[in-house]
Amino acid sequence: MGDPKYPLFSKDGDVNIGALFSVHSIEILPSFKYTQKPQVLSCYSVSLRDFRMAQTMIFAIEEINRSQSLLPNVSVGYQIYDTCGSRLSSMSATMALMNGPEFTAGDRCNGQSPIHAIIGETESSATVILSRTTGPFKIPVISPSASCECLSNRKDYPSFFRTIASDYHQSRALAYIVKHFGWSWVGAVNSDNDYGNNGMTIFLNTAQEEGICVEYSVKFYRTEPDKLQKVVETIKKSTAKVIVAFLTSSEMYNLLDQLSIQNITGFQMIGVEAWITANNLITPNSFHVLGGSLGFAVRKNDIEGFADYVIKAFWKTVVPCSQTEGNYSQYAVNCNTYQDLILLKNYNEDVPEQRYASNVYKAVYAVAHSLHNLLKCKEQAGCEKGLSIQPQQVVEALKKVNFIIKMGDHVWFDSTGATVAQYEVVNWQKDSNGSIKFKAVGYYDASLPPDQRFVLNTENITWAGGQIEKPRSVCSESCPPGTRKAAQKGRPVCCYDCIPCAEGEISNETDSNNCKQCPGEYWSNAEKNKCVLKAVEFLSFTEVMGIVLVFFSLFGAGLTVLMAILFYSKKDTPIVKANNSELSFLLLFSLALCFLCSLTFIGRPTEWSCMLRHTAFGITFVLCISCVLGKTIVVLMAFKATLPGSNIMKWFGPAQQRLSVLAFTVIQVLICVLWLKISPPFPYKNLKYYNEKIVLECSLGSTVGFWAVLGYIGLLAVLCFILAFLARKLPDKFNEAKFITFSMLIFCAVWITFIPSYVSPPGKFTVAVEIFAILASSFGLLFCIFVPKCYIILCKPEQNTKQHLMGKVSI
């Protein structure tokens, strides 16, 4: 049997509370050669945080022992063991707590635990071992700082409680703070233990839910320098500027040391309560790496009287050898055990910054309230000290505790044995004198409604490296409105390309996943961020093409009127009288109408203009062709009448000519009336052919009606052309049939060319082609039939004689 392990601090009482704290952090292992009895384990390097926890526990117990309302006639004792941050010492101390320090092979267990509850440990992994060891004996364990979510499993840890919140809340809050600042691309480092692994798993799951991408997730343990180097290399190569560090203070110290040595700076650290306020991380070079760090810390609570206690009463009552050299504590071998602690005798400047001390204070009071209820204590009558209390009873009593401590905090345990999550958001900043401080810039309180839990004051934050401007950490920059996100193959969803929306589609918000199609009469603007009304296209009077066509239309009509005036002034001359002057004037009138009807095709289509343009065009052109046809027949019949015995001209006199023109025109009028009656043309917004614009056109209504009108004009034109062609070689000095043939040839050519253009995609150019066909054919008739006559009237008046026209004048 080895030497018994004695507590660092102890005091006997009617009821006893055990505790495990890493008062020292480094253990010296003895030689294990099995040739001699192992020496007692020793350790060094004081952990000020855990030492303050031990002092807080003793302070709270002494406070309870003085109380007249809580356990009034019952003294509370304590046994506080130093685990030295070692699993070996921790297990040894746990066995000592459950069995007592003096235990030999011959003794028999009486089944009664010497302590009623254990407070500790301070790290999650050590607490897991402690809880699994004490669990079968139903001894309650209350940890002030073990926050691993794994300990919330009541099936595995039915007698475990804690006065700190589970990391479930802290891990999720880490994701919320990252999202709050718009960082979608982060790195993650965690301790390779229960605390780090469980916390990081919850963070990664929440980050995925919140749309945050993690570039890398690496881990290491304090005793693994090779893994630490790999972590540092990963950080150096990364593009993420934000690192979520779910580390204990020991791992964070090791990482900080390597980052400082390699001068790796400029990363925004997001930390957890285990290291964000750890004083041991404050070194001359640490601010270059950790300056501006943000993280969650346990709320500070000032325990009244504690600051004076740690420099006065504690040393007088608990460590008496600090007063007189050689005076021994109850279980200490000698005062050398306390030598390094005595150096802290007059130091209490850290007390206001101790954040876990209040958790120990709550844990002691929770046990005291449980025992108070089990011993049926009453303020005047006292407690029933004779009652035997089993650890299982304390466990059940702890589940029911509900009280308020003197700092004002409400203490109770939820169904998992934890307290409500309440954190401060702290920021590493520098004072005016250059010293590092942990400034509170917000809070997270899980007891509040969801929309009020997380509050940040961003104006007071110092960012990475002491900068005043918030860093950016994204895999891809935000896609502006007018674009959509397209995921990069094989990379996280936060890595994407910004693809411009297609024509007719928009995205009006940043980072849009899809572009939306614009409604029928709308089209995307140039920036693709807004649907605007499509441009309406029609041939207007104000555009250049419309002005040019109007000019030629009016020019043609004006020229026709001038010719009519000229002919009227020379109406008695042979060249005007020849071939029925009435038809000539009627032809000029119809040509003027043909020129003017083209104006109905210009301008915004309306119900009336659509009906007018096609019917006016059809009727005026039939009138025109009818006149030309009448003139052609007259020329042909006139020469037929010169044959001996021919009496044919009596059937083609002026009355018959007028009647034929009227008959041909009436047929077209009837066709137009039927068209307008059955299915008239109407204005129509054509969305079919062009995506980016609306073609405002006149729908034909009935295509049969339109082609009937056009076909009738074509029929008359072809008939006229054939007759004129037959009469082209008649012996006459001025054979009008030749000019009519040529004009009809132009007319037919123009309209045959027009047909393919007309059936092409609609638009103002199609309308312009139709107007051009009208003007070209009108000018063709005007020039071919009337210009030669005008030339003779104006330039060759000597030829304007009957003899010359009959070919009887010798040249």
Side-chain angles (χ1 to χ4, degrees):
M1 296 297 294
D3 292 326
K5 184 172 181 67
Y6 294 104
L8 183 64
F9 307 114
S10 65
K11 179 182 178 181
D12 290 330
D14 297 325
V15 292
N16 292 288
I17 304 174
L20 300 175
F21 298 118
S22 297
V23 178
H24 294 87
S25 58
I26 302 176
E27 185 177 55
I28 301 174
L29 291 175
S31 173
F32 293 111
K33 295 183 178 179
Y34 303 102
T35 58
Q36 61 182 9
K37 184 178 179 178
Q39 298 175 348
V40 177
L41 296 175
S42 61
C43 46
Y44 64 97
S45 184
V46 176
S47 170
L48 188 57
R49 186 190 74 164
D50 283 50
F51 179 45
R52 294 300 186 213
M53 288 187 186
Q55 289 179 308
T56 304
M57 178 176 172
I58 298 170
F59 173 78
I61 289 174
E62 291 182 359
E63 198 173 65
I64 292 167
N65 286 337
R66 294 192 300 268
S67 173
Q68 296 300 314
S69 58
L70 186 61
L71 297 173
N73 62 334
V74 174
S75 64
V76 181
Y78 55 85
Q79 294 180 33
I80 301 175
Y81 283 83
D82 182 6
T83 65
C84 299
S86 161
R87 301 292 180 267
L88 185 63
S89 289
S90 178
M91 182 58 71
S92 176
T94 302
M95 301 307 294
L97 277 175
M98 292 193 296
N99 297 289
E102 300 289 349
F103 183 77
T104 62
D107 290 339
R108 299 187 59 162
C109 295
N110 60 10
Q112 180 68 38
S113 172
I115 46 97
H116 294 86
I118 299 175
I119 295 177
E121 287 212 26
T122 54
E123 286 193 0
S124 293
S125 294
T127 306
V128 168
I129 297 171
L130 171 62
S131 297
R132 287 193 180 276
T133 304
T134 60
F137 305 99
K138 307 293 190 296
I139 299 174
V141 173
I142 308 174
S143 174
S145 56
S147 55
C148 178
E149 168 62 12
C150 57
L151 290 164
S152 295
N153 188 334
R154 300 309 276 171
K155 182 179 178 181
D156 293 338
Y157 311 101
S159 57
F160 173 75
F161 298 86
R162 51 185 161 192
T163 49
I164 190 173
S166 160
D167 278 334
Y168 172 81
H169 299 283
Q170 180 177 214
S171 299
R172 293 181 67 83
L174 286 171
Y176 297 152
I177 198 171
V178 169
K179 184 178 182 181
H180 178 83
F181 290 116
W183 297 320
S184 59
W185 188 238
V186 300
V189 183
N190 67 277
S191 299
D192 192 6
N193 55 21
D194 293 309
Y195 172 75
N197 291 331
N198 282 274
M200 184 54 70
T201 299
I202 297 169
F203 167 75
L204 294 176
N205 291 336
T206 308
Q208 186 175 10
E209 293 171 7
E210 298 295 329
I212 300 165
C213 295
V214 179
E215 182 181 9
Y216 58 86
S217 179
V218 290
K219 57 187 176 181
F220 70 97
Y221 191 62
R222 67 192 72 168
T223 57
E224 299 174 326
D226 292 340
K227 281 191 176 181
L228 174 58
Q229 287 301 321
K230 290 180 181 179
V231 169
V232 173
E233 288 300 317
T234 301
I235 293 173
K236 283 173 65 176
K237 295 176 182 177
S238 70
T239 57
K241 296 300 180 183
V242 175
I243 301 175
V244 176
F246 213 109
L247 302 166
T248 65
S249 59
S250 300
E251 276 88 24
M252 191 66 215
Y253 185 87
N254 295 343
L255 179 61
L256 170 63
D257 184 51
Q258 288 301 314
L259 294 178
S260 299
I261 290 172
Q262 300 189 36
N263 195 29
I264 301 172
T265 60
F267 289 95
Q268 178 66 51
M269 294 288 184
I270 307 296
V272 290
E273 39 76 33
W275 70 263
I276 196 66
T277 56
N279 287 317
N280 67 315
L281 296 179
I282 299 177
T283 65
N285 296 321
S286 63
F287 196 79
H288 294 295
V289 178
L290 297 182
S293 293
L294 280 169
F296 295 98
V298 176
R299 287 195 315 163
K300 286 192 293 186
N301 269 322
D302 183 28
I303 304 173
E304 185 181 351
F306 182 61
D308 289 335
Y309 174 79
V310 298
I311 60 174
K312 294 178 182 178
F314 174 78
W315 301 101
K316 292 179 182 179
T317 58
V318 182
V319 191
C321 69
S322 63
Q323 303 294 324
T324 305
E325 189 66 34
N327 189 12
Y328 299 106
S329 175
Q330 181 179 359
Y331 292 118
V333 176
N334 56 53
C335 282
N336 289 333
T337 307
Y338 303 110
Q339 286 307 307
D340 51 357
L341 297 178
I342 292 173
L343 297 175
L344 301 169
K345 177 181 175 182
N346 298 316
Y347 178 74
N348 68 349
E349 293 179 8
D350 65 300
V351 171
E353 293 297 325
Q354 291 297 331
R355 295 173 183 267
Y356 295 98
S358 62
N359 288 353
V360 176
Y361 188 86
K362 294 173 187 177
V364 173
Y365 267 85
V367 175
H369 276 273
S370 300
L371 295 171
H372 182 89
N373 295 331
L374 291 171
L375 293 172
K376 301 177 181 178
C377 299
K378 307 222 183 293
E379 191 166 345
Q380 300 299 327
C383 306
E384 298 180 17
K385 299 174 67 173
L387 293 175
S388 176
I389 300 175
Q390 296 298 322
Q392 178 64 35
Q393 293 175 278
V394 182
V395 172
E396 295 303 319
L398 281 168
K399 294 178 181 178
K400 300 174 184 177
V401 295
N402 194 327
F403 61 94
I404 297 175
I405 59 175
K406 64 181 182 180
M407 291 98 76
D409 281 2
H410 189 189
V411 179
W412 59 279
F413 298 106
D414 62 19
S415 59
T416 66
T419 56
V420 68
Q422 293 177 321
Y423 301 103
E424 280 184 349
V425 181
V426 297
N427 182 216
W428 278 50
Q429 299 185 5
K430 270 190 176 181
D431 274 333
S432 55
N433 60 5
S435 61
I436 296 174
K437 64 176 182 178
F438 308 125
K439 183 174 181 180
V441 292
Y443 66 84
Y444 179 85
D445 190 342
S447 65
L448 298 176
D451 59 336
Q452 301 175 19
R453 289 178 183 173
F454 191 39
V455 174
L456 275 175
N457 185 1
T458 55
E459 294 178 0
N460 296 329
I461 294 177
T462 297
W463 301 103
Q467 300 297 314
I468 59 173
E469 185 176 347
K470 183 184 74 173
R472 286 183 58 78
S473 186
V474 293
C475 181
S476 300
E477 292 296 331
S478 293
C479 289
T483 62
R484 64 174 178 86
K485 295 195 294 186
Q488 295 177 358
K489 189 175 181 180
R491 303 198 69 191
V493 293
C494 299
C495 302
Y496 48 80
D497 297 315
C498 296
I499 306 298
C501 290
E503 294 293 331
E505 296 182 345
I506 65 155
S507 65
N508 53 9
E509 56 188 23
T510 304
D511 288 336
S512 179
N513 289 317
N514 296 294
C515 297
K516 296 181 288 188
Q517 185 73 39
C518 288
E521 294 190 12
Y522 289 83
W523 194 247
S524 55
N525 59 359
E527 292 77 22
K528 308 289 179 61
N529 60 5
K530 185 180 180 182
C531 286
V532 295
L533 279 170
K534 290 181 179 179
V536 178
E537 181 183 276
F538 60 90
L539 186 60
S540 70
F541 287 101
T542 55
E543 60 182 297
V544 174
M545 186 164 55
I547 293 171
V548 170
L549 292 174
V550 168
F551 169 77
F552 280 105
S553 177
L554 295 177
F555 174 75
L559 190 62
T560 304
V561 171
L562 288 176
M563 287 185 180
I565 293 171
L566 177 63
F567 269 52
Y568 185 77
S569 64
K570 303 293 184 178
K571 62 182 178 180
D572 295 326
T573 60
I575 202 164
V576 175
K577 283 183 174 182
N579 206 0
N580 197 337
S581 60
E582 286 186 14
L583 286 181
S584 296
F585 283 112
L586 188 57
L587 179 57
L588 286 169
F589 172 72
S590 63
L591 281 173
L593 292 180
C594 287
F595 282 118
L596 294 176
C597 84
S598 64
L599 297 177
T600 62
F601 289 81
I602 305 173
R604 189 182 189 92
T606 63
E607 187 176 351
W608 285 102
S609 68
C610 285
M611 289 190 291
L612 180 63
R613 66 170 59 171
H614 290 100
T615 53
F617 156 72
I619 294 170
T620 54
F621 261 81
V622 164
L623 178 61
C624 179
I625 301 299
S626 299
C627 292
V628 175
L629 182 60
K631 292 176 72 66
T632 306
I633 293 173
V634 167
V635 170
L636 190 62
M637 293 301 109
F639 283 93
K640 292 285 184 181
T642 58
L643 297 175
S646 177
N647 196 23
I648 197 170
M649 278 305 294
K650 69 176 181 177
W651 299 106
F652 290 95
Q656 286 80 5
Q657 292 173 26
R658 286 192 291 270
L659 188 60
S660 65
V661 170
L662 179 62
F664 288 136
T665 306
V666 166
I667 293 172
Q668 184 73 306
V669 170
L670 290 174
I671 294 172
C672 290
V673 169
L674 286 173
W675 182 14
L676 296 178
K677 189 72 176 175
I678 297 170
S679 181
F682 59 90
Y684 170 65
K685 293 179 179 179
N686 194 324
L687 308 175
K688 180 179 178 182
Y689 286 97
Y690 303 102
N691 291 322
E692 71 282 2
K693 61 185 177 182
I694 299 173
V695 176
L696 197 57
E697 62 179 0
C698 286
S699 176
L700 296 176
S702 171
T703 53
V704 174
F706 172 74
W707 289 111
V709 168
L710 205 62
Y712 184 64
I713 295 172
L715 177 65
L716 292 181
V718 170
L719 181 62
C720 185
F721 172 74
I722 293 172
L723 293 177
F725 183 79
L726 293 175
R728 72 187 187 285
K729 293 184 178 180
L730 293 176
D732 193 358
K733 190 67 175 178
F734 187 84
N735 190 352
E736 197 172 26
K738 293 179 182 179
F739 299 112
I740 292 174
T741 302
F742 191 59
S743 68
M744 285 298 100
L745 190 62
I746 294 172
F747 184 92
C748 293
V750 166
W751 283 101
I752 289 171
T753 307
F754 159 76
I755 291 173
S757 301
Y758 195 78
V759 296
S760 64
K764 61 182 179 181
F765 294 103
T766 301
V767 176
V769 168
E770 189 171 1
I771 296 172
F772 173 78
I774 293 171
L775 295 178
S777 55
S778 299
F779 275 115
L781 288 170
L782 184 67
F783 287 165
C784 290
I785 295 176
F786 292 101
V787 167
K789 294 182 179 181
C790 292
Y791 174 76
I792 291 174
I793 292 172
L794 296 175
C795 299
K796 301 287 185 178
E798 68 278 5
Q799 294 181 10
N800 192 3
T801 62
K802 186 175 181 180
Q803 292 79 6
H804 187 273
L805 293 176
M806 296 299 291
K808 295 180 179 180
V809 177
S810 59
I811 299 175

